[in-house]
Amino acid sequence: MTTFPANRGGATVAILDDFDGLTAAAVLYLRMWYEGPDTQTRVMKDILNTLGETRGSNAIASFSELCSICVQHGRRPFCRHALKCRCVGADEASFAHFVATAAEGDRDDAMLIAILMVRPDMAPVLTSLAADFGLALKQMNLAAPKAVAQMRAHQPVLH
């Protein structure tokens, strides 16, 4: 019989360098949001500086609520890698794919992903927030997030 580790959501499924700008930003902003108040402030400043006060504030509110719902109504604790880790875990990749799918307007597929992440009754709200945040990331014209460029200059941190 095969046994699975308790933290399969943290299993490496990709390398951050292989992600496009939107999905890499989703992973990095997610990591930064949960890292602590200093990195949350960096996320907010980056978004506000790029999108301006009104659109930036709306994007931050959507992202904050998105993260809050994942924590409060998630099916299990969310696993994430270290901020400077080049690996992408299964939960992080799912989150990034969810945000990108919602931003592309594929609501049905985004809802299916959301149902795997949170209680089914919370999936419509989560999908709407992911679409709002994903569209904001698209508006930021992310060729590669600043944090990715900074990471490439440093030695890789495995975990």
Side-chain angles (χ1 to χ4, degrees):
M1 181 166 121
T2 304
T3 58
F4 294 99
N7 63 348
R8 5 176 203 201
T12 300
V13 296
I15 302 298
L16 194 59
D17 294 345
D18 295 337
F19 280 33
D20 65 15
L22 188 147
T23 53
V27 169
L28 290 171
Y29 285 156
L30 180 72
R31 288 178 182 178
M32 292 172 76
W33 196 258
Y34 288 112
E35 189 75 15
D38 292 340
T39 52
Q40 278 185 6
T41 300
R42 286 177 39 205
V43 168
M44 291 186 275
K45 284 182 181 178
D46 193 35
I47 293 171
L48 287 171
N49 288 339
T50 307
L51 295 178
E53 185 66 33
T54 302
R55 287 188 300 163
S57 294
N58 291 338
I60 292 165
S62 293
F63 183 57
S64 176
E65 187 65 17
L66 176 66
C67 291
S68 178
I69 289 173
C70 285
V71 169
Q72 292 174 357
H73 303 287
R75 293 189 171 272
R76 62 175 172 73
F78 200 85
C79 293
R80 62 181 173 80
H81 285 232
L83 182 58
K84 292 186 179 182
C85 183
R86 295 173 71 139
C87 301
V88 178
D91 285 351
E92 294 171 325
S94 295
F95 180 83
H97 182 64
F98 169 58
V99 170
T101 301
E104 290 298 322
D106 193 347
R107 185 165 176 81
D108 291 342
D109 282 355
M111 285 283 289
L112 288 172
I113 298 168
I115 288 170
L116 297 173
M117 296 171 63
V118 297
R119 294 184 343 220
D121 63 313
M122 297 305 296
V125 174
L126 196 71
T127 300
S128 178
L129 293 167
D132 292 345
F133 180 63
L135 288 172
L137 292 178
K138 286 177 92 169
Q139 290 172 346
M140 291 173 74
N141 291 321
L142 297 165
K146 294 173 185 145
V148 172
Q150 292 171 356
M151 283 177 47
R152 290 182 180 144
H154 295 94
Q155 290 287 68
V157 177
L158 298 178
H159 296 280

